[in-house]
């Protein structure tokens, strides 16, 4: 399971993501940054689902940034390239945040079961679903930035037990750390803004 939130703001797109991946017993398998930036264009990508399938989709995105000179060209190319990536396991998806030369901040999602790349105009979130009451209780304010409010929302998602897929037990699947990503005309910046005391090989325990 992954949890991440992306939102467009004037002159930029922001994203926060957790950093833990899990095995089929619900134990933490690894902790790493899930946000992969392009070195060439103002674009970054994150995924949820099967690690191997996400990696293949990310490769397709990065190859497109190498073959194209603008974000707009990359997105146009990915409508064709991503459906060609063969799915090897249960459904996975990626979310792309980018700063377009023609239209500014963009959020796109690709699902390898649906095989379509679709836009989200203002925001997009993946993770344990929060009710309006739970979002208000978190104290999160994301009107100006995800830097602090996004952390509060991921903390609330972490506390909410879920079963991401049938193959894993009911439990907590948001962990490791939180990375905050900003994408604007100047490129991609990623900062580690929160860490949890989680341990590889163990399940997440929430007090």
């Amino acid at each position: 399971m992954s949890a991440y939130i992306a939102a467009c703001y004037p002159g930029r797109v922001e994203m926060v993501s957790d950093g833990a991946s899990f095995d089929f017993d619900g134990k933490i398998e690894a902790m790493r940054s899930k946000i992969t930036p392009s070195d060439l264009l103002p674009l970054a990508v994150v995924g949820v689902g099967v690690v191997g399938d996400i990696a293949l989709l990310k490769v397709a995105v990065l190859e497109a940034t190498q073959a194209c000179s603008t974000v707009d060209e990359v997105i146009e190319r990915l409508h064709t390239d991503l459906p060609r990536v063969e799915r090897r396991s249960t459904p996975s998806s990626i979310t792309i945040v980018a700063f377009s030369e023609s239209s500014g901040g963009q959020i796109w999602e690709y699902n390898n079961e649906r095989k379509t790349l679709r836009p989200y105009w203002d925001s997009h979130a993946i993770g344990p679903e929060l009710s309006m009451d739970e979002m208000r209780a978190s104290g999160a304010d994301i009107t100006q930035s995800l830097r602090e409010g996004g952390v509060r929302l991921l903390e609330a998602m972490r506390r909410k037990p879920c079963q991401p897929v049938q193959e894993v037990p009911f439990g907590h699947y948001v962990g490791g750390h939180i990375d905050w990503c900003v994408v604007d005309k100047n490129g991609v910046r990623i900062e580690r803004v929160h860490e949890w005391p989680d341990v590889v090989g163990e399940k997440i325990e929430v007090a």
Side-chain angles (χ1 to χ4, degrees):
M1 183 65 179
S2 291
Y4 52 82
I5 304 165
C8 291
Y9 297 95
R12 69 191 191 282
V13 190
E14 295 188 15
M15 178 162 59
V16 286
S17 170
D18 83 318
S21 57
F22 300 83
D23 61 23
F24 286 105
D25 293 322
K27 297 177 181 179
I28 296 177
E29 191 172 49
M31 292 188 285
R32 64 174 71 87
S33 178
K34 296 180 181 178
I35 303 173
T36 302
S38 166
D39 294 330
L40 303 173
L41 293 171
L43 178 152
V45 58
V46 68
V48 59
V50 179
V51 172
D53 281 355
I54 293 169
L56 292 174
L57 293 170
K58 285 184 173 182
V59 166
V61 173
L62 294 181
E63 287 180 345
T65 66
Q66 294 169 351
C68 300
S69 59
T70 69
V71 165
D72 291 346
E73 290 174 359
V74 168
I75 298 302
E76 182 177 357
R77 178 180 176 124
L78 290 177
H79 281 285
T80 301
D81 286 3
L82 288 174
R84 293 175 177 165
V85 178
E86 182 179 354
R87 185 180 121 194
R88 299 182 176 182
S89 187
T90 55
S92 300
S93 65
I94 57 170
T95 294
I96 299 165
V97 291
F99 195 84
S100 161
E101 303 78 11
S102 64
S103 58
Q106 296 185 350
I107 303 169
W108 295 84
E109 184 207 35
Y110 177 80
N111 181 286
N112 67 359
E113 181 178 40
R114 190 175 59 246
K115 289 190 175 295
T116 55
L117 181 65
R118 64 180 183 181
Y120 285 84
W121 301 113
D122 297 312
S123 62
H124 180 47
I126 291 287
E129 186 174 352
L130 299 177
S131 67
M132 290 301 296
D133 286 343
E134 288 169 328
M135 286 190 279
R136 282 191 289 266
S138 74
D141 178 1
I142 60 171
T143 56
Q144 302 299 318
S145 174
L146 291 175
R147 171 64 176 77
E148 295 182 1
V151 171
R152 288 178 177 268
L153 289 175
L154 289 188
E155 285 271 24
M157 290 181 179
R158 172 183 169 88
R159 292 191 295 270
K160 191 162 187 176
C162 64
Q163 186 179 27
V165 293
Q166 289 184 338
E167 292 83 358
V168 302
F170 201 70
H172 300 275
Y173 289 93
V174 179
H177 58 257
I178 299 176
D179 287 334
W180 173 55
C181 172
V182 179
V183 182
D184 59 21
K185 65 180 181 180
N186 297 314
V188 181
R189 301 183 300 281
I190 301 173
E191 179 184 344
R192 182 71 44 83
V193 294
H194 187 77
E195 293 193 47
W196 288 294
D198 299 327
V199 178
V200 172
E202 297 183 5
K203 293 184 178 182
I204 290 178
E205 299 293 338
V206 176

